[in-house]
Amino acid sequence: MPQAVRFGVNYTPSEGWFHHWLDFDLDSVRADLDSIAALGLDHVRVFPLWPYFQPNRSLIRPRAVEQLVALADAAAERGLDVNVDGLQGHLSSFDFLPAWTRTWHRRNLFTDPDVLDGQAALLRTLAAALADRPNFIGMTLGNEVNQFSAGPHPDPDRATPGEIDTWLTRMLAACEEGAPGRLHLHAEYDATWYQDDQPFTPGQAARHGAVTAVHSWVFNGTAQRHGRTSVPSEHHAAYLVELSKAWAGDPRRPVWLQEVGAPAPLVPPEHAAAFTEATVAHALDCPDLWGVTWWCSHDVSRGLADFPDLEYGLGLMTNDRKPKDTALVLARAARSAPSAPAARTTALVVPADPSARSRCAPGGPVFEAFFRLVADGARPTTVLDTRTTDREHLSARGITETVTADQVLEGGTRP
């Protein structure tokens, strides 16, 4: 029996944003969690900032860990499960890296042995602190850590795909050591699926960890190119869910839509609810969807400086915890999620070679062909070009026909 789709939110504290760890106020956290639980959601994803929790490589602050556990316990009291991002990392355009990895102590985040020891210790410690909590889902290694590994980051920590593979294996093992049997995973922004020189590869995303995570943001060129009400914009999250399945070893591997939001001005506030409704509905039409976790719970206070303007208004709720129309849309979806959708029988062929993954990016032939199929009434998925003759794999996924991007784009419709 397929598991019901989970509905949750990325928790952005209404007071102090993620700097709330410096002045932790459990009463304020409880009020935030009350407003989230009132929507009928079932989980939160939380973000302990790495420099605040591990300011020195050999110092993991016990008080900070206690505060994280207190937050998890407060969530449990309100019926909310908790996923914890460990190496934080990067959030809303700001990098949060401890001083022992930067400037005079500059060391590579993915290859330096001492840094890896410190990272593994933090992940293991956080996981172990929550291991006996029934509402602890598991660890995510960090938020979009792939953005540190290549351009356009201004000071990337370069690594090879092989080195990233080793890093992922070790960090996930540290989570498992701390909390055996929980749902541990890693999560990257969409350069993993779209950028040819990214050392974090689609194969790693779809094979390491308990589930595949995708983060869908239409400011990546999709909404600029096609508009907010277009098929590509409203189906972008579903596209990433289905694109990820091409690389999965397990034909029924769950996919978590772990981040998705309605970014202004490409999606103006007055249209955010409609965009949210369409995005969620199309994602729910993807088989094996683990859950939808919206970005984010509460707006960023305008009293905090230097955020990109779009970041201030992404919350389901205002800074004073009042639900917006988007919150009501997500609440309705959580109450009335449909039963498991049927298999997607038409598979668009995608290149297995990660150096050709830009073909899947906005403007690329795979991207454009996928949405041509959608516009023509199909429910496409994807399959690697190396698997098109693997009858066992195709059958396990319910695929009955495969089609190339060239066939779709040259023919103007399904062949």
Side-chain angles (χ1 to χ4, degrees):
M1 187 78 176
Q3 175 184 302
V5 175
R6 306 290 302 268
F7 281 87
V9 67
N10 293 275
Y11 173 42
T12 49
S14 65
E15 297 181 14
W17 193 63
F18 296 107
H19 304 302
H20 83 137
W21 296 112
L22 294 172
D23 300 291
F24 189 74
D25 181 346
L26 189 55
D27 287 338
S28 177
V29 168
R30 286 170 173 150
D32 287 346
L33 295 174
D34 283 337
S35 65
I36 293 169
L39 298 177
L41 305 181
D42 63 44
H43 70 275
V44 291
R45 178 175 169 227
V46 302
F47 302 87
L49 295 187
W50 187 6
Y52 301 169
F53 277 67
Q54 193 181 27
N56 183 274
R57 185 164 57 87
S58 62
L59 172 62
I60 299 170
R61 294 178 51 243
R63 181 60 181 145
V65 177
E66 291 169 5
Q67 290 167 343
L68 176 63
V69 173
L71 188 158
D73 288 345
E77 292 166 0
R78 289 150 180 82
L80 296 167
D81 291 345
V82 173
N83 170 258
V84 176
D85 271 43
L87 301 171
Q88 226 43 258
H90 177 83
L91 291 164
S92 302
S93 84
F94 291 96
D95 288 347
F96 294 95
L97 298 175
W100 49 271
T101 68
R102 303 291 93 181
T103 60
W104 299 104
H105 294 265
R106 184 71 165 83
R107 290 179 281 195
N108 191 289
L109 297 175
F110 306 109
T111 62
D112 183 272
D114 289 337
V115 173
L116 268 59
D117 286 347
Q119 292 171 332
L122 178 61
L123 291 168
R124 188 182 305 109
T125 298
L126 297 182
L130 293 164
D132 65 346
R133 266 46 183 191
N135 70 320
F136 176 48
I137 295 170
M139 298 292 298
T140 301
L141 296 187
N143 184 55
E144 301 184 350
V145 291
N146 63 318
Q147 65 94 28
F148 291 113
S149 69
H153 193 280
D155 182 26
D157 291 61
R158 301 284 184 183
T160 66
E163 288 167 336
I164 295 300
D165 207 68
T166 299
W167 184 83
L168 289 168
T169 299
R170 180 170 180 189
M171 296 306 134
L172 287 165
C175 297
E176 182 66 17
E177 290 164 11
R182 299 294 181 148
L183 187 137
H184 303 304
L185 67 149
H186 63 106
E188 288 79 49
Y189 85 107
D190 62 17
T192 287
W193 311 102
Y194 294 158
Q195 187 173 320
D196 290 340
D197 66 346
Q198 254 285 331
F200 282 79
T201 67
Q204 292 163 349
R207 292 172 182 258
H208 281 286
V211 301
T212 301
V214 296
H215 292 188
S216 173
W217 290 102
V218 297
F219 55 57
N220 64 357
T222 300
Q224 293 94 324
R225 180 183 294 268
H226 297 283
R228 63 173 171 80
T229 60
S230 64
V231 168
S233 290
E234 292 187 344
H235 289 256
H236 183 261
Y239 170 63
L240 279 177
V241 171
E242 293 303 323
L243 180 63
S244 77
K245 295 176 182 179
W247 282 272
D250 177 359
R252 301 304 305 274
R253 179 175 168 91
V255 184
W256 183 354
L257 180 54
Q258 194 185 45
E259 264 190 40
V260 60
L266 294 168
V267 181
E270 63 270 24
H271 299 292
F275 175 84
T276 301
E277 185 171 26
T279 294
V280 171
H282 298 316
L284 291 174
D285 191 40
C286 297
D288 302 308
L289 183 69
W290 183 90
V292 177
T293 309
W294 200 258
W295 188 279
C296 54
S297 64
H298 299 84
D299 284 347
V300 178
S301 169
R302 288 282 175 179
L304 294 174
D306 300 327
F307 285 82
D309 194 62
L310 71 91
E311 298 286 350
Y312 289 100
L314 288 171
L316 292 173
M317 288 167 279
T318 62
N319 200 232
D320 57 357
R321 307 188 181 101
K322 299 294 192 300
K324 302 179 189 177
D325 290 345
T326 48
L328 304 181
V329 166
L330 198 66
R332 285 198 300 271
R335 289 194 303 269
S336 58
S339 57
R344 292 181 172 227
T345 58
T346 299
L348 182 64
V349 178
V350 302
D353 181 359
S355 68
R357 72 191 106 166
S358 59
R359 290 177 60 83
C360 302
V366 171
F367 184 97
E368 300 300 330
F370 186 95
F371 294 112
R372 178 77 61 82
L373 288 169
V374 172
D376 287 344
R379 298 172 59 247
T381 186
T382 62
V383 66
L384 295 185
D385 53 14
T386 55
R387 284 177 165 170
T388 56
T389 59
D390 184 344
R391 297 302 170 193
E392 182 177 351
H393 176 80
L394 298 177
S395 176
R397 294 182 57 196
I399 295 169
T400 58
E401 64 172 339
T402 62
V403 59
T404 68
D406 287 346
Q407 286 174 312
V408 174
L409 297 177
E410 291 173 5
T413 187
R414 293 174 62 187

